[in-house]
Amino acid sequence: MPADIPPPPEDFEDIDAVQAWLEGQDRSWSIALAARSALRALPFVGQAMSSPGADPVKAADAIVSPMFRASALPWLAGTWPSHGNDLRPAADSADSAALSAAFSAALSALSADSAALSAALSAARSDCLALRDGTTAPALLRRPLWPDGSPEVAGEAWSALAEALRGLDAGWEVWTGWYEARLRGQEWAEANGLPLIRELEIRRATLKDDPADFNPDDALWKQGPAAVNARIRQIEQEYDYPRRRMPEPVQDVRAAVEFDELADGRIGVSGGFGSEPDLSPPHSASDLANRLEACREAAADLIDEIDSRPRNFPKDDYTKRLRRYGDRLPTDETGNFYGANMAMVQVHRLLRSHLDELPNEIAVDLSSLIALHIETRRYYPGFIVLEDTVRHSPVTDRAPQQEIEAILTAIRDDESGLFDEEVPRALDEAVAGNGSPGLTALVASRDDALLPPRDSALELDPDMVRDYDVVTRINSLYRVLRKKGKKAKLPDASKEDVSAVAASYTIAEALAPVLSWLLRFLGM
């Protein structure tokens, strides 16, 4: 640590004191601090897109795009200080009014949240201490953006902004990927196919063909985000950026329905915790088979009973789900219980919603069937693991829905014959989920004998259960694709192996954020 440099001010809200401290330091420090502070504020511009009456497309054009550009310029100048003066034309050409509005919107949203503001000021002071202790400005700009980890409010703001931008279908991935690299640091970026390429980053800021030409293409910038982002994507492709890197599947996590290579080389459904009952004493295969048959008969009897009743309650809703339940019930220990459980959860939710409308006899019989189903489910310990995982997960945000749909579409549309027809069905089953959200309150006026039994599965957030189910099935499928792809010996590989390689790369384009969500969900 240089002996003649005093520590930065303790109170970073005292702007005058901070500026006075910086005046005596190398100019590169101010550039690095400005860049990292702007990057920390950037996610909060998303609030302008989601505010009441806002037009997301116009907000992205007027505020988000200028903010990305404004954040990229000081980052670029600080990362390669020798180009600081070269980049002045790009900085001078930026629309000052748009930049002012963008920064104002971001800082206003950041300042409105005391926890976020406190974290940002603390991070800025940590940056100053690092510089004072000998870290160079370029090295600081390669570090993760938040020295003590991203605060929850900033993480949520970035997730919301990234999701909103992806929904605009205007090529915003060129910026969300860039920001993710700045957020997580260059070590993470290198490991995820996002190397630091000086010529590419200069051209990202100027949109020019020649990295030695620092005069920006103002006419293109003024055409709006779609045109700008398309040009940046062209530039990225010239550098094979991002590097095509296959993400690794998450290990040691089970799905309700899993997949494996079939004897004929295709990929099909194979096991999962929904088909792995515990048959150790006092349980037995025959006892389980008897219970499954009792559940099936009870459901069939209820269908007949409901069909015979007048239409003073939603009969079809019950019979549809009870038939689905009976169809999905396995006959013995080799079948998968998960689909039947999904159907019964829907029946249970219906019963809670219509308890005051149902004839007493049907309410009692439905409650008895639910109790029998819950007892039978105890044969499958994987359901306990599922409940514990969802109940104790630190994650509250949904899995990336667009990426999930992109993966499922690639599988549904595959014409190579790689996937058995049961594969898309198993994934679509998970997407369908458990029905209506929330736990409907029981009607207190009914006799206790008519009330359905408590089911801990209904106390979980159905969106989280659904997303976890979908993502773990995708993860299981990807494990098989990776295994088959690694076995392929091109160009002499079989059609199936070549298809596995192609499918792996197609799915991998959308897989990284999905697997990242799963890792966070598991607390890994």
Side-chain angles (χ1 to χ4, degrees), residues 29 31 50 83 110 114 180 185 205 226 330 344-345 373 393 439 456 462 482 509:
W29 291 21
I31 294 173
S50 59
H83 290 304
L110 179 64
S114 59
E180 199 74 32
M344 185 49 64
V345 168
H373 172 85
S393 173
L439 182 59
S456 56
R482 290 281 278 147
E509 294 290 331

Side-chain angles (χ1 to χ4, degrees), residues 17 61 115 129 159 185 206 225 229 246 273 307 344 357 376 421 442 448 487 511:
D61 186 0
L129 289 171
S159 294
T206 65
N229 296 344
M246 299 293 289
F273 71 73
D307 280 340
M344 185 49 64
E357 305 170 26
T376 306
E421 62 184 11
L442 289 169
D448 287 347
K487 289 193 302 181
L511 199 65

